[in-house]
Amino acid sequence: MPTKSLDPKVVIDIDGYLEPEVPHIVKRYELFRQWKDTIDEHEGGYENFTKGYLNFGLNVGTKGEIVYREWAPNAREAYLIGEFNQWSRTSHPMKKNDFGVWEITLLPTANGECAIQHDSKIKISMVTPSGERIERLPAWIKRVTQDLNVSPVYDARFWNPPENQRYKFKNSRPPKPKDAKIYEAHVGISTSEGRVGTYKEFTQNILPRIKKLGYNIIQLMAVMEHAYYASFGYQVTSFFAASSRYGSPEDLKELIDTAHGMGVTVLLDIVHSHACKNVLDGLNEFDGSDHLYFHEGAKGRHELWDSRLFNYGSHEVLRFLMSNLRFWVEEYQFDGFRFDGVTSMMYKHHGIGTGFSGGYHEYFGDSADLEAIVYLMLANDAMHTLFPAVITIAEDVSGMPLLCVSSDKGGVGFDYRLSMAVPDMWIKLLKHKSDGEWELGNIVHTLTNRRHGEKSIAYCESHDQALVGDKTIAFWLMDKEMYTNMSDFTEMTPVISRGLALHKMIRLLTHSLGGEGYLNFEGNEFGHPEWLDFPRAGNNNSFHYARRQWNVVDDPLLRYKYLNEFDAAMNQLEGQKGWLSAPQAYVSLKHEVDKVLVFERAGVLFVFNFHPTESFTDYRVGVETAGEYTVVLSTDESRFGGFNNVTSGGKYFTTPLEWNQRKNFLQVYIPSRTAIVLSLVN
C-alpha cells in the first residue's frame, strides 16, 4: 500500500511561518504513515494492534485455561512461578517463539477452576545468556501490591475475581464536553486525615463536591502504579496496574462509573514519557538486557528524573504503550488522557537547560525526537480513530506548533495543550510585584498568546504550584494571616480583603480570557492553606501536608467558603454562557493607569478593576451589541466575601456611540479590586 503524502499547502495555510520547516514536518508525517501502514499490513490495524493486553500478560480463556505471554528475547529460559506452584522454578517452563515471546498455558483444575487462585502472588523467573537467574513482575500485570512492613518491592498478583465480585458498569459515558472545566485530583490526598485516601472515599465524598462546583471533567493523577508515593505518581513501575494504595481495581471502576452517572468525564494522567528505573518490580532490565523497552546507555536515561526512557522506534514498545492507552479506556472506562512530560518526549535534550523563545527553529531539526513525536501522532490517531469522543491533553512547555492539529494536517493530534506560561506568570507577579505594579498588557498577552486553531487549557495553578518549596496563590496572597484571620469573627484585615478579592479576580480572568478549557487543582478552588508535601524521610514520613483540609471549607464560620462559592458560581455562569467554547475574546481596554481591563466573549461583557485603591463611578466601557445589560456576576458580592458595593442585577443601557473600537458604550460603577460580568437581558 503506497504511503499517502502530506500536502505542504495544508501546513502553510495553518501557519505561514512554518514554510521553512515544511520538509521536517513532511518527513515526520511520512514516518508516521510508514508506521501506520506497517500496523495495517502486519497487525490488522489499530483495532488489533492496541489489544496487546488481551494477548500478553495473563489472560483467562473461555474454559478456564490461563495463557501467559511475555516478551523477553534476551532470556534463555523462562518459568512461571508463584504461590500456585510453591514458587517452583522448574515445574512451569515457558516456550519461546521466533519473536522473543515466551508462552505457557495452564489448564484448569479437575473441578474446572483456574490453576492460579485469584489474588495469589506470581512472578516470571528467567535465566539470562550468562547463566544468571533473574525474577521479575510480569510487564503486563494488572494488579500489584506493596507491604512496606516487609519490603518496598511490589508483589504481582493474578487478578481474576469471581463473577459476583466484578464491578459491572451501569452508566454510559457522558457526551464529550465542549467547555472543558477540569478538576485535577489525587485520590490519596483526598482525605482530611493523615493517611492515604481510598477510591471508595473519593467516590463517596469528593465526586459530589466536584459536581456541585460545576466541573465537568476530572483528571486523576497517580493512578498507574508507582513505587514511591512521594513521586506524585510519576515513577511508574506497572503500567497496566491501578495503584493498590487506594483500593482494588473494582473500586476504581466504581469511581469512574459513578462520575459518569453524574455526567462527569474522567481523564487519566498517563505517564509514557519515562518509567521508573526499578529492576525488581519495574520494566528496567526486564529480560537482563539494558535495552528491551528502553534505549540503551545514556540515551535511555533521564538525568534529572533518574528514570528510563522508552525506545519509541521499537515495534513491541509501540504495541505496549498503545495497548496501555486502550486498556485504560476499555477496562476502566476512562474518557481520555493528560499526557505527562510531552516536552521531554519531543526533544532529544528533554527540555533540560533549554529555554524556548518561540523561534520555530527550536521546534524542528536535529533537536526534535522524531521517534517520540511519531509515537504521539500514532497514539492520538489510534485513540481518536477507535474512540472518537476521547480527549487528549498535552503537557508541553515549549509551544510546539501543530501540537493540537490532527495528523492528516501534519500535526501531533492532541485536543488541548496546557497553557503552562499562565501559572508561571501569576506566581511571578505575586512573588515580585505589588498589584499596583501589574502591567495589564503583559497579563493579557500571556493569557491570549496561544496558537490560532489550537485549543488551550488555562489554569492559575496546578499541582506543580502546590508542592513544597512553592506556595499556592492563596498562600502567596495571605500567607501567615490565613492562620489568624480566616474566621468571620476576626477582623477583615487589608491582607485578607486583598487576598480574597485577587484570588477571585485571578481565577475569573484566567477562566474567561485564558483558553478553551480551564483547570483547577483539588482544594485550590477554596484557597487551600499551606502546601503539599508527601510523606518522605525529610519530613519524618508525615502525612500532615499530604491531605486536603476539607474541614476548613466546610466550617461555616471560616472565609474559605466564600472562595468555594465563587468558584461554583463562575463555573455555573460559564455553563450558561459558554465562553470556553466561544472564539477568543475581544479586548477593548487595557488601561495601565486606571488598572481597568474590559473584554467581550460569547456575548458577555467582562470588566476588571485591579486598582488597589481607586473605584470608578460611571466608568465608560465599550460593547459591540446594543441593548439592556445586567450584572450576572460580581466578585464583590457578600456571599463571595465581598462588600456588596456591586451586586448582581441592575439595568445598564447602551449608548450608540463608538467607544474603544466598539459600536456602543455603557457606564458602570466598578469598585477597586472588583470584577463584574454583564450580559444582555433576554
Side-chain angles (χ1 to χ4, degrees):
M1 182 167 45
T3 299
K4 294 174 187 171
S5 57
L6 176 67
D7 181 358
K9 187 176 182 300
V10 172
V11 176
I12 296 165
D13 284 348
I14 293 169
D15 184 347
Y17 289 108
L18 286 170
E19 189 167 1
E21 314 301 342
V22 161
H24 180 97
I25 295 165
V26 168
K27 181 183 177 185
R28 79 181 189 190
Y29 177 81
E30 286 171 352
L31 290 170
F32 158 73
R33 281 300 319 185
Q34 285 167 18
W35 267 118
K36 190 169 180 180
D37 291 347
T38 298
I39 290 167
D40 284 342
E41 289 170 28
H42 301 292
E43 297 282 357
Y46 289 147
E47 172 62 29
N48 286 340
F49 189 59
T50 58
K51 285 182 176 175
Y53 57 91
L54 299 178
N55 189 43
F56 287 85
L58 293 106
N59 288 286
V60 181
T62 53
K63 296 173 183 173
E65 74 279 11
I66 299 169
V67 180
Y68 172 46
R69 293 189 187 94
E70 197 74 74
W71 180 51
N74 186 56
R76 201 177 66 197
E77 300 171 36
Y79 304 85
L80 179 59
I81 66 172
E83 290 175 330
F84 75 98
N85 66 2
Q86 288 77 52
W87 301 101
S88 167
R89 288 174 169 156
T90 55
S91 64
H92 288 77
M94 301 174 72
K95 288 185 179 176
K96 185 182 187 181
N97 70 11
D98 293 341
F99 299 100
V101 176
W102 294 88
E103 181 176 336
I104 185 172
T105 300
L106 285 79
L107 297 175
T109 61
N111 57 5
E113 293 178 353
C114 277
I116 305 177
Q117 193 176 358
H118 165 58
D119 211 25
S120 64
K121 296 177 185 177
I122 48 167
K123 279 185 181 178
I124 180 171
S125 181
M126 293 171 280
V127 177
T128 67
S130 68
E132 180 191 3
R133 182 173 287 276
I134 57 174
E135 277 157 14
R136 303 285 187 261
L137 306 194
W140 299 70
I141 196 71
K142 300 180 183 79
R143 172 76 167 167
V144 295
T145 59
Q146 185 185 48
D147 184 351
L148 288 172
N149 293 320
V150 177
S151 164
V153 178
Y154 274 91
D155 293 311
R157 293 180 179 270
F158 176 59
W159 190 255
N160 183 37
E163 196 61 32
N164 63 354
Q165 291 177 26
R166 291 175 187 266
Y167 186 80
K168 309 287 192 304
F169 288 95
K170 305 175 185 69
N171 301 301
S172 55
R173 300 174 189 271
K176 186 175 184 174
K178 293 193 287 288
D179 53 338
K181 295 189 281 280
I182 303 171
Y183 196 86
E184 184 185 36
H186 181 292
V187 171
I189 67 166
S190 296
T191 172
S192 296
E193 297 174 29
R195 58 177 174 80
V196 178
T198 67
Y199 296 125
K200 286 273 190 190
E201 290 169 332
F202 193 95
T203 303
Q204 189 175 341
N205 303 328
I206 310 305
L207 286 183
R209 290 181 185 272
I210 296 169
K211 175 67 176 172
K212 191 176 178 184
L213 284 165
Y215 291 93
N216 54 14
I217 299 176
I218 300 169
Q219 182 177 295
L220 280 182
M221 305 177 65
V223 169
M224 302 166 81
E225 193 57 274
H226 46 292
Y228 186 39
Y229 188 48
S231 76
F232 226 145
Y234 293 122
Q235 291 277 346
V236 174
T237 44
S238 294
F239 283 74
F240 290 83
S243 182
S244 57
R245 288 181 177 86
Y246 324 125
S248 75
E250 313 311 305
D251 295 343
L252 176 57
K253 291 173 186 178
E254 180 187 30
L255 186 164
I256 294 165
D257 192 33
T258 306
H260 286 166
M262 295 176 169
V264 176
T265 295
V266 188
L267 306 182
L268 174 68
D269 194 346
I270 197 102
V271 186
H272 282 181
S273 46
H274 65 130
C276 181
K277 69 175 184 180
N278 284 16
V279 173
L280 295 178
D281 54 6
L283 294 178
N284 193 15
E285 299 177 19
F286 184 82
D287 63 354
S289 70
D290 186 46
H291 55 269
L292 184 62
Y293 286 94
F294 312 112
H295 287 293
E296 59 185 323
K299 190 179 179 184
R301 286 167 170 80
H302 196 293
E303 61 185 68
L304 281 187
W305 297 343
D306 194 24
S307 54
R308 295 304 312 264
L309 298 172
F310 286 106
N311 176 4
Y312 303 105
S314 159
H315 192 101
E316 291 305 321
V317 172
L318 289 183
R319 186 198 309 279
F320 182 82
L321 294 174
M322 291 169 71
S323 296
N324 189 233
L325 294 171
R326 182 167 190 169
F327 170 80
W328 291 108
V329 175
E330 293 269 28
E331 188 72 17
Y332 285 93
Q333 300 286 297
F334 277 100
D335 302 297
F337 306 97
R338 177 253 197 203
F339 279 74
D340 178 68
V342 168
T343 307
S344 174
M345 295 173 74
M346 293 195 299
Y347 304 98
K348 292 171 185 171
H349 51 64
H350 309 302
I352 299 171
T354 306
F356 291 93
S357 65
Y360 279 31
H361 64 283
E362 296 168 341
Y363 304 120
F364 305 101
D366 290 343
S367 64
D369 189 328
L370 284 178
E371 288 180 346
I373 293 169
V374 167
Y375 162 64
L376 291 171
M377 293 170 74
L378 289 164
N380 275 297
D381 189 50
M383 289 304 103
H384 288 104
T385 300
L386 297 167
F387 310 102
V390 86
I391 297 169
T392 59
I393 301 171
E395 188 217 20
D396 170 45
V397 73
S398 75
M400 164 75 80
L402 305 177
L403 188 64
C404 301
V405 171
S406 60
S407 57
D408 60 332
K409 295 177 180 174
V412 184
F414 285 98
D415 292 296
Y416 296 92
R417 69 195 323 145
L418 288 172
S419 293
M420 300 180 75
V422 174
D424 289 348
M425 171 196 71
W426 288 124
I427 295 298
K428 280 177 189 168
L429 284 175
L430 293 168
K431 257 185 184 178
H432 302 299
K433 292 190 175 182
S434 68
D435 42 309
E437 299 172 308
W438 292 2
E439 295 173 13
L440 296 186
N442 286 346
I443 293 172
V444 169
H445 175 75
T446 303
L447 286 166
T448 57
N449 181 28
R450 48 192 191 269
R451 298 199 179 278
H452 180 70
E454 299 191 44
K455 292 189 285 189
S456 293
I457 305 287
Y459 58 107
C460 318
E461 50 189 338
S462 71
H463 66 270
D464 289 323
Q465 286 72 38
L467 287 170
V468 65
D470 206 337
K471 290 194 231 178
T472 61
I473 285 177
F475 222 53
W476 277 115
L477 287 166
M478 296 178 277
D479 209 19
K480 63 180 183 293
E481 288 204 20
M482 293 188 83
Y483 296 113
T484 56
N485 286 78
M486 283 301 274
S487 166
D488 273 333
F489 291 120
T490 58
E491 180 194 355
M492 176 71 86
T493 64
V495 168
I496 296 295
S497 171
R498 171 182 179 266
L500 295 178
L502 289 179
H503 193 275
K504 292 174 287 188
M505 292 178 74
I506 287 168
R507 280 177 147 58
L508 180 60
L509 181 55
T510 305
H511 201 302
S512 54
L513 190 62
E516 291 69 38
Y518 175 78
L519 179 142
N520 168 71
F521 177 64
E522 176 178 22
N524 288 348
E525 69 275 8
F526 63 81
H528 197 285
E530 303 176 323
W531 51 89
L532 194 56
D533 190 14
F534 286 87
R536 55 190 173 85
N539 64 15
N540 294 319
N541 291 311
S542 169
F543 279 89
H544 184 72
Y545 297 110
R547 60 196 178 105
R548 297 283 87 178
Q549 298 178 44
W550 305 111
N551 49 298
V552 301
V553 73
D554 292 341
D555 189 333
L557 301 179
L558 297 182
R559 290 172 172 146
Y560 297 98
K561 65 178 184 282
Y562 299 132
L563 300 179
N564 200 64
E565 279 292 313
F566 180 77
D567 205 68
M570 176 174 68
N571 282 332
Q572 183 184 20
L573 184 62
E574 194 289 326
Q576 295 165 7
K577 304 299 180 184
W579 61 71
L580 287 171
S581 54
Q584 268 194 243
Y586 184 90
V587 181
S588 60
L589 181 65
K590 297 171 285 191
H591 201 299
E592 298 291 1
V593 176
D594 294 348
K595 298 297 178 196
V596 174
L597 172 62
V598 181
F599 59 90
E600 295 148 84
R601 191 174 183 189
V604 181
L605 178 64
F606 296 84
V607 184
F608 289 78
N609 178 8
F610 279 99
H611 203 291
T613 56
E614 292 291 329
S615 300
F616 301 102
T617 306
D618 294 333
Y619 199 87
R620 190 174 287 192
V621 297
V623 64
E624 191 67 11
T625 306
E628 179 189 335
Y629 284 76
T630 187
V631 174
V632 289
L633 184 66
S634 164
T635 61
D636 194 46
E637 292 181 50
S638 57
R639 64 186 174 126
F640 307 140
F643 298 100
N644 254 0
N645 291 318
V646 179
T647 57
S648 292
K651 293 181 180 181
Y652 301 80
F653 296 95
T654 57
T655 300
L657 283 175
E658 189 171 310
W659 188 257
N660 291 337
Q661 293 81 52
R662 307 313 272 162
K663 290 177 182 172
N664 306 276
F665 72 79
L666 51 77
Q667 289 174 298
V668 296
Y669 172 53
I670 181 73
S672 69
R673 290 192 183 129
T674 298
I676 58 174
V677 184
L678 299 102
S679 179
L680 274 168
V681 176
N682 294 330

